[in-house]
Amino acid sequence: VETYRVRVTRKHPLAPGVMEIGLERPSDFQMQAGQKIRFHHRGLARDYTLINAPDEDQLVICAIQVPQGNFSPGLMQSPLGTVYEISKPFGYFTFQVSVRTAVFLATGTGIAPFVAFVRAGVRDFILLQGARSDEHLYYWSEMMAAARTYVPCLTRTAEDLQLVPETFQGRVTGYLETRLPVAGYDFYLCGSGAMVDAATRIIDRRFAGSLVYGESFF
Amino acid sequence: MKIYTRTGDQGKSSLFSGERVLKNHPRMKAYGDVDELNSMIGALVAALPGGTAAAKGQLEQIQGDLFRVGAVLATTPAAARAKQITPIVPADIQRLEGYIDQLQASLSELKHFILPGGHPAAALAHVARTICRRSERGVVDLMQEGDPSASGDPSWLADALIYLNRLSDFLFVAARHCNAVAGMADVMWQG
């Protein structure tokens, strides 16, 4: 089987322009946490990371609406029952067991693979989650509960500090540069290409001997 | 998605297994050579004369195999991520030997050295063959330099090396096949 035809089974808004979308799971669908699927739709191909646990009975993605996008507006407005063609799961951005502390850096919907990791049972990690404001810290409570250290990094002043108890004012790369203790880590970077580039340069400079696994999506 | 990143601007790059290494690291050199080899085979495929459909299919299969060779070279076997790759195995080498036998079956016996060249596709096959030989040397360097990461599963590098050795033989035969199909005689060395 190269592709599957699956129905939209659930839609759940997370924030303005951001939505969790559930899809029915084909019976022979085998996946690892952190893998993606590719939507094939009217000649377009779009990749989304699955955020469900590997053994869950549905597939779940976190979609952000790209203004004037060719695919995401239609996906997010599609009624329940709409059929999409998706690929088998693919990709190598999966969690690797290690004696070193894992440090996850996520911006925007780059949190998606880390949500999948947590739902697959990964614990005891450091997570730096970057967003403009606290309403875009998707899944923060679930992630904070699983992390050894959870650091929301906001580029705007937090509007509702009750949501997230302690924040770093600045980018995830700012925290990496100034706050994270120097040591050897396993870094997992997911978000914009600019963040992955900047973080990698800081890691090369401050965290020699660390491993770097990166996934950038724009 | 932007094709360029700036993470390599300081002369470093990432292995598949996550290590940040200098771009002249033996693993980077070795899989860089394999990347170059794969690209040259792509040029060869683009230049194939008519009547070489079987060779085209074989070369495209080999291009896929070379991605796997590259993944082996870019991954320290002891790394956690090593389990995610599919190394070259003896069955891949046997398949390649089958390709050589198929192409060679219609060629005349060779009793002299020949000059690399002839049809453009044959010339490209010879260039690919020489890059393949350099790729072999890179793997041998990696094995000899005592790279501690090379000790995790020696069979991976050993099988990749055998595959590359066989591939250079295949490319020699493929060059002669291209000339034969195009109606061009091999040029004997008169030395």
Side-chain angles (χ1 to χ4, degrees), chain A residues 92 94 96 197 200 204 212, chain B residues 5-6 18 20 81 83-84:
Chain A
Y92 298 102
T94 56
Q96 310 299 327
D197 289 352
T200 304
D204 281 348
V212 181
Chain B
T5 70
R6 299 183 181 87
R20 296 285 294 166
R81 226 177 189 183
K83 63 181 181 296
Q84 289 183 289

Side-chain angles (χ1 to χ4, degrees), chain B:
Chain B
M1 190 174 86
K2 287 178 181 173
I3 190 66
Y4 62 86
T5 70
R6 299 183 181 87
T7 59
D9 288 355
Q10 307 302 314
K12 281 190 165 183
S13 191
S14 293
L15 294 176
F16 179 70
S17 40
E19 297 91 340
R20 296 285 294 166
V21 296
L22 290 169
K23 290 184 176 180
N24 62 354
H25 184 281
R27 284 195 177 275
M28 298 294 293
K29 286 194 204 175
Y31 86 70
D33 284 342
V34 171
D35 186 25
E36 182 183 346
L37 169 60
N38 209 346
S39 302
M40 187 55 70
I41 290 175
L44 163 58
V45 170
L48 284 172
T52 53
K56 180 173 185 285
Q58 293 168 349
L59 286 162
E60 287 174 348
Q61 173 67 48
I62 288 165
Q63 286 190 292
D65 291 347
L66 288 176
F67 271 114
R68 291 163 55 207
V69 173
V72 165
L73 298 176
T75 305
T76 52
R81 226 177 189 183
K83 63 181 181 296
Q84 289 183 289
I85 67 171
T86 309
I88 291 294
V89 294
D92 299 305
I93 298 163
Q94 287 161 13
R95 173 166 37 77
L96 193 50
E97 289 169 347
Y99 292 169
I100 295 171
D101 293 342
Q102 281 176 38
L103 292 188
Q104 205 166 18
S106 59
L107 296 174
S108 58
E109 189 180 352
L110 199 59
K111 294 178 179 170
H112 300 85
F113 287 114
I114 58 169
L115 300 184
H119 186 274
L124 289 171
H126 280 296
V127 177
R129 176 179 58 78
T130 61
I131 299 170
C132 189
R133 289 298 188 200
R134 172 153 40 87
S135 301
E136 284 183 78
R137 295 193 290 273
V139 176
V140 172
D141 283 346
L142 195 58
M143 295 166 101
Q144 279 193 329
E145 286 182 6
D147 176 357
S149 55
S151 61
D153 187 342
S155 72
W156 286 17
L157 283 179
D159 286 339
L161 184 63
I162 295 169
Y163 184 91
L164 290 171
N165 186 35
R166 216 60 90 247
L167 179 55
S168 61
D169 293 337
F170 170 85
L171 289 165
F172 181 82
V173 173
R176 293 193 67 214
H177 175 71
C178 289
N179 278 337
V181 169
M184 301 180 75
D186 292 318
V187 179
M188 303 298 166
W189 181 49
Q190 302 297 333

Side-chain angles (χ1 to χ4, degrees), chain A residues 59-207:
Chain A
L59 306 179
V60 186
I61 61 167
C62 177
I64 188 163
Q65 184 159 340
V66 179
Q68 280 85 50
N70 291 322
F71 180 71
S72 61
L75 173 67
M76 294 171 73
Q77 288 160 21
S78 58
L80 297 181
T82 304
V83 174
Y84 283 98
E85 184 180 355
I86 63 167
S87 70
K88 293 191 289 189
F90 66 97
Y92 298 102
F93 196 74
T94 56
F95 184 75
Q96 310 299 327
V97 175
S98 168
V99 293
R100 295 190 287 199
T101 300
V103 180
F104 301 159
L105 270 72
T107 52
T109 53
I111 194 67
F114 305 124
V115 175
F117 289 179
V118 165
R119 292 178 179 178
V122 174
R123 296 290 183 272
D124 204 32
F125 54 86
I126 296 170
L127 171 61
L128 315 183
Q129 184 176 11
R132 288 193 305 275
S133 57
D134 48 12
E135 70 174 343
H136 294 286
L137 291 173
Y138 321 123
Y139 307 101
W140 69 268
S141 59
E142 183 178 358
M143 302 307 284
M144 188 164 70
R148 179 201 306 174
T149 306
Y150 173 69
V151 184
C153 303
L154 300 180
T155 51
R156 289 184 195 160
T157 305
E159 291 164 3
D160 185 354
L161 288 174
Q162 290 178 333
L163 266 183
V164 181
E166 203 173 326
T167 62
F168 173 76
Q169 190 73 44
R171 298 178 185 275
V172 290
T173 45
Y175 188 93
L176 198 61
E177 182 81 84
T178 61
R179 301 284 182 87
L180 187 70
V182 172
Y185 300 99
D186 287 359
F187 285 99
Y188 293 74
L189 318 176
C190 189
S192 70
M195 183 278 279
V196 171
D197 289 352
T200 304
R201 288 198 299 274
I202 295 167
I203 292 164
D204 281 348
R205 202 170 57 245
R206 290 198 75 216
F207 304 99

